[in-house]
Amino acid sequence: MQRQFLLQQGDIPTHWYNIVADLPVAPEPPLHPATNEPAGPQDLQAIFCDEIIGQEVSGERWIEIPEEVREGMAQWRPTPLYRALRLEKALGTPAHIYFKFEGTSPVGSHKLNTALAQAYYNKRAGIKRLATETGAGQWGCSMALACSMVEIECTVYMVAISFQQKPYRKSMMQVYGAEVFASPSEHTAFGRKVLAETPDSPGSLGIAISEALEDTVTHPGVKYALGSVTNHVLLHQTVIGLEAKKQMEQSGDYPDVIIGCTGGGSNFAGLAFPYLADKIAGKEMRVVAVEPTSCPSLTEGEFRYDFGDTGQMTPLFKMYTLGSGFIPPGIHAGGLRYHGMSPLVSLCKHEGLIEAVAYHQQTVFDAAVTFAKAEGIIPAPESAHAIRAAIDEALRAKEEGKERVILFNLSGHGLLDLGAYDRYFAGELNGDS
Ligand SMILES: *Cc1c(COP(=O)(O)O)cnc(C)c1O
């Protein structure tokens, strides 16, 4: 039986897929925080370049990928799609389990797909430097490398507690030439204000976003980059699903269930949106978003307008949210600690196109270890949420004695997250939510 489904070198999609063109209802626009009026392109010009703003508001179905971006991605794309034969055997399931593996990019996750596109457009617009924030460091690494690839500067505000506890991602960013500040930092007025009030502040994504935005709007030639949530980021990630569809065709199977973990929604959408086009056209399938019980925006949040950040500086987005003041506990899947959810993923949930499920991290790590022993790849804790759901689908198929084709996204490897695995083996995850 075939294990690997490879595409030819250079066989990378020529266009990104924009689901807005096919959704049964139009997305509601973001609102300006001061006026509560729909925010127009001009409201975004202080932080994004025009090409990216155009993609953010586009209703066009297919958007061409620039040749330079395709050439850059050719270093790690097309990424492999595997059938998890040894996992199927270990579970004794009649299900066929497939996964798309995004951990083969130089930074080890899907995030480089959009980082490269964003760096490219900003370089072409004459931008000299990009400012961004990072939590656990996956996004900061991707942005640092992408900026190095197109030769512009990069400044990363990294949540202070991660800066101290996850030093290797900080080291990677420095290797790629980025300037990295522990946030809150002395580098911005907002950071200095937080430090004056709380000298030993552990920081938060909300504070780091505010610092990156302040850096952007107070310096000429600087723009801001975001790693998830927004429409243009989800668009750039659709290379994952477009490739996967071709690879699944080689396998002769068509997925009954498609699964991805959701922090801000980008890797899930990247795999799922090209398939949702088929579902909207009448094809039967289930599409499942997986989140942590400690940050359950899709399963327990409200669908309403809310701010994208804690400092309430961003526009208001219509999305599933736990409230912009919600501070999730410090679970190991740092990439899934976000109070909201991408407006497009939220709309798909609201329209009944996708479903959502939440898992506790203990059971997520059980699944991660089962998977790693069978398939050899140690998954990022974020990605392990998708594995938990895939394994449960496979076990249900076994109980029901039914064949079922399952496809999930393995968004990144966990080789820089081994400390979290240590805590799991030490039995220290049980108490956390
Ligand atoms: C950041 C990250 C996520 C979560 O972000 P999404 O935008 O929801 O994809 C998931 N997996 C990995 C490996 C990540 O680095």
Side-chain angles (χ1 to χ4, degrees), residues 154-226:
C154 180
T155 305
V156 183
Y157 294 87
M158 182 175 190
V159 175
I161 187 80
S162 302
F163 189 91
Q164 292 148 17
Q165 290 180 353
K166 307 207 166 176
Y168 294 133
R169 291 229 172 256
K170 173 194 66 188
S171 314
M172 278 179 77
M173 290 181 242
Q174 286 167 339
V175 167
Y176 295 141
E179 185 180 32
V180 189
F181 296 107
S183 166
S185 76
E186 294 285 349
H187 200 68
T188 66
F190 186 75
R192 288 190 293 274
K193 177 170 162 271
V194 175
L195 284 174
E197 288 161 6
T198 328
D200 55 353
S201 165
S204 73
L205 212 47
I207 295 169
I209 293 175
S210 302
E211 287 204 280
L213 285 172
E214 179 186 325
D215 185 340
T216 304
V217 299
T218 54
H219 295 93
V222 180
K223 295 286 183 202
Y224 172 68
L226 256 177

Side-chain angles (χ1 to χ4, degrees), residues 69-92:
V69 173
R70 294 183 73 234
E71 272 166 21
M73 284 197 295
Q75 188 191 344
W76 70 94
R77 305 209 74 84
T79 59
L81 183 134
Y82 296 103
R83 178 154 169 204
L85 287 168
R86 284 195 301 265
L87 178 65
E88 289 171 19
K89 191 161 165 236
L91 300 174

Side-chain angles (χ1 to χ4, degrees), residues 108-111 138-139 227-229 233-234 261-268 334-336 341 380 382-383 410-413:
S109 81
H110 67 291
K111 288 202 172 76
Q138 286 270 19
W139 172 242
S228 188
V229 180
V233 174
L234 272 56
C261 68
T262 44
S266 74
N267 87 86
F268 166 80
L336 305 184
M341 181 53 60
E382 291 88 352
S383 321
L410 187 47
S411 51
H413 71 65

